[in-house]
Amino acid sequence: MTQTAPAPGSLLKQRDFRLFWTGDVVSQLGSEMTLFALPLVMVSTLDASGTQIGLLEALYTLPFFLLPLFVGVWQEHRARRPVMIATDLARCVLVVTIPVGAALDVLSLAHVYVVAVLVGALSVVYDIAARSYLPRLVAPEHLGSANSKLTADQAVSATMGPGGGGWLAGVFGPASVLFLDALSYLVSALAMIAVRTREKAEPPPAERDLRRELADGLRSVFGNPPVRAIALHAAVYNAGGSLVNVAFLVYFVRRLDMGTFAYGLVTVVGGIGAICGAVCVPFLFERIGYGPSLLIALCFSTNAYFLLPLCTGPDTAVFWASAAGLFLGYAGSAAGSVIAVTVRQKVTPPELHARMNATYRLMNFGTIPVGAALAGVLVDGLGARTTLWLAPFVLLASVVPVANRTIWRLRQL
C-alpha cells in the first residue's frame, strides 16, 4: 500500500485529518454516551445496586487489561484504518441491542454486562489503532496540535455525551439514548471510509518471534524513563478516577436525589473544563516545556476533586461546588493527557508505536477494573460520600512517579 504524504500548512486545511478528526470525535461521543447511559439503564430500568454498577464499569474496562499487548503485536504489521472502520461497525451493532432488548422487555443484567465487555474490547482495538495511525497521518511538527485536538474530542464528547444523554434520558428514557450511540459509531465508520491516506504496512517476517515482539513492546515503556514515569502515574490516577466516577454517580443521583438531568449538566461543566485544558495546554508546553506543564496540570487534576464531597447544604451550592470540582479536575486531566501522548509518540520509534501504545494502555487502563470494583464495594460498605473523600488521596499518590528530575527537565523533545 502507498502512503500519502501529509499536506503542508494548517491541520485544518488537510482533508484527511479533518475526516479523521470528525470520525474520532463522533466515535468518542458514542463511547461517552454509552458509558453515561449504561449505568443509568441499570439504575432506572434494572434497579441495580452500587456493587452491580461498579461491576459494569469493571467489565467494560477489563479488556483494557487483558488485550492491549496482544492487540499491539497484532496491529504492528497491519493497516490501522480498516481496523478502525470494522470496530466502529461492530460497536454500532452491539450497542443497538440494548434499547431493542428494553423495548421488548427482555433486557437483563447479563445482557448489559456482555455488551459492556465486547464494546470495551472493541474500544481497546480502536484506540490503539487510532493513536498509532495519527503519526502516519500528520507531519511531526503537527503532532502536538493534532493530539490537542483529539484530546479536545474526548472533552467535547464528555460534555455533549452526559449533557445530551441526561436530557434525552429524562424525556425518552435512558435506553433510548443508546440508539444515538449506535448511530455515532456508524457515522465514525463512514468518515474513516472517506479518508484517502493509506499506510505502508510492512509484511510480517516469515518467522515471527512473538515473545520478542512482546518484550520489545514492554521495553518501549519500561526501558524509557519519561514514558515509564507517565505510565505509572496514569495507572494510579485511573484507579482513583474510577472511585470518583462510581461514587459521584451514586452520591449525586441517588443520595442527594439531584436527578439525571442535573447530573448531566454538572458533567457538561466538567467537559467544558476539559476542552479548555486540552486547547490551552499546547501554548503552555511551548513556553515552559513538557515536564513542568505536566506537573502544573496535575495540581488541578488531583486537588480539585476534594470539592465533590466538601460542600453540603442547598442543592444550588452542592451543584456549583460539584461543577467547579469537575471543571478544574477535567481541565487538569485533559491537559496532562495531551502532554503524555505527545511525549510518548515523539520519544518512541515509529515501528514500536502500536506495541508502545498497547503496553501503555495496559498500565493506563488495567487498574480501572480494580478501581471500579473496589468503588462499588466501598460505596455499599462505607457510603458514597466517604468514598469521594478517599478518592482524591489516591489521585495525589499518582503524582509520586512523575515528581522527579527526569520529568522536570523534560522541556523540549
Side-chain angles (χ1 to χ4, degrees), residues 377-397:
V377 174
L378 291 175
V379 166
D380 287 344
L382 301 179
R385 191 180 182 206
T386 301
T387 305
L388 280 178
W389 277 115
L390 294 174
F393 290 101
V394 178
L395 297 177
L396 283 170

Side-chain angles (χ1 to χ4, degrees), residues 49-139:
S49 66
T51 299
Q52 290 170 327
I53 295 172
L55 180 60
L56 170 71
E57 184 168 346
L59 288 172
Y60 180 86
T61 54
L62 184 61
F64 292 37
F65 176 75
L66 297 176
L67 296 181
L69 288 180
F70 302 100
V71 171
V73 172
W74 174 71
Q75 287 190 14
E76 200 63 66
H77 300 284
R78 187 178 298 273
R80 278 72 164 187
R81 175 177 159 274
V83 171
M84 296 164 65
I85 295 170
T87 52
D88 270 335
L89 293 175
R91 287 186 291 180
C92 172
V93 173
L94 286 168
V95 169
V96 82
T97 65
I98 292 182
V100 170
L104 298 176
D105 199 26
V106 295
L107 188 65
S108 65
L109 284 174
H111 183 169
V112 177
Y113 287 153
V114 169
V115 170
V117 170
L118 294 177
V119 171
L122 291 167
S123 296
V124 171
V125 178
Y126 175 91
D127 291 343
I128 292 175
R131 289 301 184 185
S132 303
Y133 180 63
L134 182 64
R136 291 158 173 78
L137 182 66
V138 303

Side-chain angles (χ1 to χ4, degrees), residues 327-397:
F327 180 91
L328 296 173
Y330 284 19
S333 180
S337 295
V338 173
I339 297 168
V341 71
T342 304
V343 170
R344 284 158 37 210
Q345 290 171 340
K346 287 197 171 186
V347 302
T348 303
E351 65 272 14
L352 288 174
H353 276 168
R355 281 174 282 175
M356 177 275 295
N357 285 323
T359 303
Y360 183 85
R361 289 189 68 85
L362 175 66
M363 298 181 63
N364 192 1
F365 292 99
T367 57
I368 294 179
V370 177
L374 178 62
V377 174
L378 291 175
V379 166
D380 287 344
L382 301 179
R385 191 180 182 206
T386 301
T387 305
L388 280 178
W389 277 115
L390 294 174
F393 290 101
V394 178
L395 297 177
L396 283 170

Side-chain angles (χ1 to χ4, degrees), residues 28-29 32-33 36 151-167 263-276 327 330:
Q28 295 290 345
L29 178 62
E32 289 293 335
M33 293 184 72
F36 176 80
T151 303
D153 286 359
Q154 298 172 356
V156 169
S157 302
T159 303
M160 297 176 62
W167 180 79
Y263 176 74
L265 286 179
V266 77
T267 311
V268 165
V269 177
I272 294 172
I275 296 171
C276 294
F327 180 91
Y330 284 19

